[in-house]
Amino acid sequence: MTSGVSQANKFYEEVAETKVVWFGALPGELLLEFDLKENKVSFPVWSSESRIDCLKELNPELMGRVEARSVSWEQFKVHFLPILPPEQKVVGVNLSGKNLSGIDIPVSVLVKQVEAFW
């Protein structure tokens, strides 16, 4: 199992337990997103605030100004997921390490996976 798959499984498990999703916000309330190939955008999410804090320490150039924010799983599904068009945006799940490595998955897969852990 790759590290990205392992981190994703941890995300599903932890979010199913806490019912909270963490994301990053930049000054001016901009949501943290990363451009990918083929005109896609990755919206990174984490299962805990400490995961974001760790990344800020590992990569202050990229993550230093990012503020950790949380939202309930239900609010995430109602308010965030509709703004992520499936043809253009994917979700980066529990990105980790200095290079923020992990996997990007479609929104529909994210919901199914998290709720499968309930």
Side-chain angles (χ1 to χ4, degrees):
M1 182 179 331
T2 68
S3 173
V5 171
S6 174
Q7 290 297 332
N9 283 333
K10 203 65 169 156
F11 177 88
Y12 308 142
E13 223 173 81
E14 292 175 351
V15 170
E17 180 181 321
T18 66
K19 309 281 191 291
V20 174
V21 176
W22 289 85
F23 61 96
L26 296 165
E29 301 299 315
L30 297 172
L31 297 178
L32 180 64
E33 295 181 333
F34 298 111
D35 291 331
L36 302 175
K37 295 177 184 176
E38 301 172 8
N39 294 323
K40 289 196 176 194
V41 176
S42 175
F43 176 66
V45 292
W46 292 270
S47 56
S48 70
E49 181 178 21
S50 62
R51 290 179 181 276
I52 298 173
D53 291 342
C54 182
L55 291 175
K56 290 175 70 164
E57 289 179 29
L58 284 174
N59 195 334
E61 300 82 30
L62 181 61
M63 297 288 291
R65 297 179 9 175
V66 172
E67 291 182 26
R69 303 277 176 85
S70 67
V71 65
S72 75
W73 175 249
E74 288 305 315
Q75 288 175 322
F76 181 72
K77 287 188 344 182
V78 170
H79 297 291
F80 282 76
L81 296 185
I83 64 172
L84 301 174
E87 66 280 354
Q88 295 174 323
K89 292 194 178 191
V90 293
V91 181
V93 181
N94 269 357
L95 303 180
S96 62
K98 185 164 176 66
N99 296 322
L100 281 83
S101 59
I103 62 172
D104 293 302
I105 61 173
V107 170
S108 60
V109 172
L110 176 79
V111 172
K112 288 177 189 173
Q113 290 296 99
V114 168
E115 293 183 352
F117 277 79
W118 289 354

Coordinates of all heavy atoms in Angstrom, one line a residue, residues 5 8-17 73 77 93 103 105-118:
V5 N -2.3 6.1 -0.2 CA -3.4 5.3 0.1 C -3.6 5.1 1.6 O -4.7 5.2 2.2 CB -3.3 3.9 -0.6 CG1 -4.4 3.0 -0.1 CG2 -3.4 4.1 -2.1
A8 N -4.9 8.2 3.0 CA -6.3 8.4 2.7 C -7.2 7.5 3.6 O -8.2 8.0 4.1 CB -6.6 8.0 1.2
N9 N -6.8 6.3 3.8 CA -7.5 5.4 4.7 C -7.6 6.0 6.1 O -8.7 5.9 6.8 CB -6.9 4.0 4.8 CG -7.3 3.2 3.5 OD1 -8.3 3.4 2.9 ND2 -6.4 2.3 3.2
K10 N -6.5 6.6 6.6 CA -6.5 7.2 7.9 C -7.5 8.4 7.9 O -8.2 8.6 8.9 CB -5.1 7.7 8.2 CG -4.8 7.9 9.7 CD -4.9 6.5 10.4 CE -4.4 6.7 11.8 NZ -4.9 5.6 12.6
F11 N -7.6 9.1 6.8 CA -8.5 10.3 6.7 C -9.9 9.7 6.8 O -10.7 10.3 7.6 CB -8.3 11.0 5.4 CG -9.3 12.1 5.1 CD1 -9.1 13.3 5.5 CD2 -10.5 11.8 4.5 CE1 -10.0 14.4 5.3 CE2 -11.5 12.8 4.3 CZ -11.2 14.1 4.7
Y12 N -10.3 8.7 6.1 CA -11.7 8.2 6.1 C -12.0 7.7 7.5 O -13.1 8.0 8.0 CB -11.8 7.0 5.2 CG -11.4 7.2 3.8 CD1 -10.7 6.2 3.1 CD2 -11.6 8.4 3.1 CE1 -10.3 6.4 1.7 CE2 -11.1 8.6 1.8 CZ -10.5 7.6 1.1 OH -10.1 7.8 -0.2
E13 N -11.1 7.0 8.1 CA -11.3 6.5 9.5 C -11.5 7.6 10.5 O -12.5 7.6 11.3 CB -10.0 5.8 9.9 CG -10.2 4.5 10.6 CD -8.9 3.8 10.8 OE1 -8.1 4.2 11.7 OE2 -8.5 2.9 9.9
E14 N -10.6 8.6 10.5 CA -10.6 9.7 11.5 C -11.8 10.6 11.3 O -12.5 11.1 12.2 CB -9.3 10.5 11.5 CG -8.2 9.6 12.0 CD -6.8 10.3 11.9 OE1 -6.7 11.4 11.3 OE2 -5.8 9.7 12.4
V15 N -12.2 10.9 10.0 CA -13.3 11.8 9.8 C -14.6 11.1 10.1 O -15.5 11.7 10.7 CB -13.3 12.3 8.3 CG1 -14.6 13.0 8.0 CG2 -12.1 13.3 8.1
A16 N -14.7 9.8 9.8 CA -15.9 9.0 10.2 C -16.1 9.1 11.7 O -17.2 9.1 12.2 CB -15.8 7.6 9.7
E17 N -15.0 9.1 12.5 CA -15.0 9.1 13.9 C -15.4 10.5 14.5 O -16.3 10.7 15.3 CB -13.7 8.6 14.5 CG -13.7 8.6 16.0 CD -12.3 8.1 16.6 OE1 -11.7 7.2 16.0 OE2 -11.9 8.7 17.6
W73 N -18.6 17.4 9.0 CA -18.8 16.6 7.8 C -20.0 17.0 7.1 O -20.0 17.1 5.8 CB -18.8 15.1 8.2 CG -19.1 14.2 7.0 CD1 -20.2 13.5 6.8 CD2 -18.2 14.0 5.9 NE1 -20.1 12.8 5.6 CE2 -18.9 13.1 5.0 CE3 -17.0 14.5 5.5 CZ2 -18.3 12.7 3.8 CZ3 -16.4 14.0 4.3 CH2 -17.1 13.2 3.5
K77 N -20.2 18.6 3.2 CA -21.0 18.0 2.1 C -22.0 19.0 1.6 O -22.1 19.1 0.3 CB -21.8 16.8 2.6 CG -20.9 15.6 2.9 CD -21.7 14.3 3.2 CE -23.1 14.3 3.5 NZ -23.7 13.0 3.8
V93 N -6.3 14.2 -0.2 CA -6.6 13.7 1.1 C -5.4 13.4 2.0 O -4.5 12.7 1.7 CB -7.4 12.3 1.0 CG1 -7.8 11.8 2.3 CG2 -8.6 12.6 0.1
I103 N -2.7 11.4 -2.4 CA -3.5 11.1 -3.5 C -4.6 12.1 -3.7 O -5.1 12.7 -2.7 CB -4.1 9.6 -3.5 CG1 -5.0 9.4 -2.3 CG2 -3.0 8.6 -3.5 CD1 -5.7 8.1 -2.3
I105 N -8.5 12.4 -5.1 CA -9.6 11.6 -5.5 C -10.8 12.4 -5.8 O -11.0 13.6 -5.4 CB -10.0 10.6 -4.3 CG1 -10.4 11.4 -3.1 CG2 -8.8 9.7 -4.0 CD1 -10.9 10.5 -2.0
P106 N -11.7 11.8 -6.7 CA -12.9 12.6 -7.0 C -13.8 12.7 -5.8 O -13.8 11.9 -4.8 CB -13.6 11.6 -8.0 CG -12.6 10.7 -8.5 CD -11.6 10.6 -7.4
V107 N -14.6 13.8 -5.7 CA -15.5 14.1 -4.6 C -16.4 13.0 -4.3 O -16.6 12.6 -3.1 CB -16.3 15.4 -5.0 CG1 -17.4 15.6 -3.9 CG2 -15.4 16.6 -5.0
S108 N -17.0 12.3 -5.3 CA -17.9 11.2 -5.1 C -17.3 10.1 -4.3 O -17.9 9.4 -3.5 CB -18.5 10.8 -6.4 OG -17.5 10.3 -7.3
V109 N -16.0 9.8 -4.6 CA -15.3 8.7 -4.0 C -15.1 9.1 -2.5 O -15.2 8.3 -1.6 CB -14.0 8.4 -4.7 CG1 -13.1 7.4 -3.9 CG2 -14.3 7.9 -6.1
L110 N -14.7 10.3 -2.3 CA -14.5 10.8 -0.9 C -15.7 10.5 0.0 O -15.5 10.0 1.1 CB -14.1 12.3 -0.9 CG -13.9 12.9 0.5 CD1 -12.6 12.5 1.0 CD2 -14.1 14.4 0.5
V111 N -16.8 10.9 -0.4 CA -18.1 10.8 0.4 C -18.3 9.3 0.6 O -18.6 8.9 1.8 CB -19.3 11.5 -0.3 CG1 -20.6 11.1 0.4 CG2 -19.1 13.0 -0.4
K112 N -18.3 8.5 -0.4 CA -18.5 7.0 -0.2 C -17.5 6.4 0.7 O -17.9 5.6 1.6 CB -18.4 6.3 -1.6 CG -19.6 6.6 -2.5 CD -19.4 5.9 -3.8 CE -20.5 6.4 -4.8 NZ -20.3 5.9 -6.2
Q113 N -16.3 6.8 0.6 CA -15.2 6.2 1.5 C -15.4 6.6 2.9 O -15.3 5.7 3.8 CB -13.9 6.5 1.0 CG -13.5 5.9 -0.3 CD -13.4 4.4 -0.2 OE1 -14.3 3.7 -0.6 NE2 -12.3 3.9 0.3
V114 N -15.6 7.8 3.2 CA -15.8 8.3 4.6 C -17.0 7.6 5.2 O -17.0 7.0 6.3 CB -15.9 9.8 4.7 CG1 -16.4 10.2 6.1 CG2 -14.6 10.5 4.3
E115 N -18.1 7.6 4.5 CA -19.4 7.1 5.0 C -19.4 5.6 5.1 O -20.1 5.0 5.9 CB -20.6 7.7 4.3 CG -20.6 9.2 4.6 CD -21.8 9.9 4.0 OE1 -22.6 9.3 3.2 OE2 -22.0 11.1 4.3
A116 N -18.5 4.9 4.4 CA -18.3 3.5 4.5 C -17.7 3.1 5.8 O -17.9 2.0 6.3 CB -17.5 2.9 3.4
F117 N -17.0 4.0 6.5 CA -16.4 3.7 7.8 C -17.3 3.9 9.0 O -17.0 3.8 10.1 CB -15.1 4.6 8.0 CG -13.9 4.1 7.3 CD1 -13.7 4.2 5.9 CD2 -13.0 3.4 8.0 CE1 -12.6 3.7 5.3 CE2 -11.9 2.8 7.4 CZ -11.7 3.0 6.0
W118 N -18.6 4.4 8.7 CA -19.6 4.6 9.8 C -20.1 3.3 10.3 O -20.3 2.3 9.7 CB -20.7 5.5 9.4 CG -20.2 6.9 9.3 CD1 -18.9 7.4 9.6 CD2 -20.9 8.1 8.8 NE1 -18.9 8.7 9.3 CE2 -20.0 9.2 8.8 CE3 -22.2 8.2 8.3 CZ2 -20.4 10.4 8.4 CZ3 -22.5 9.5 7.9 CH2 -21.7 10.6 8.0

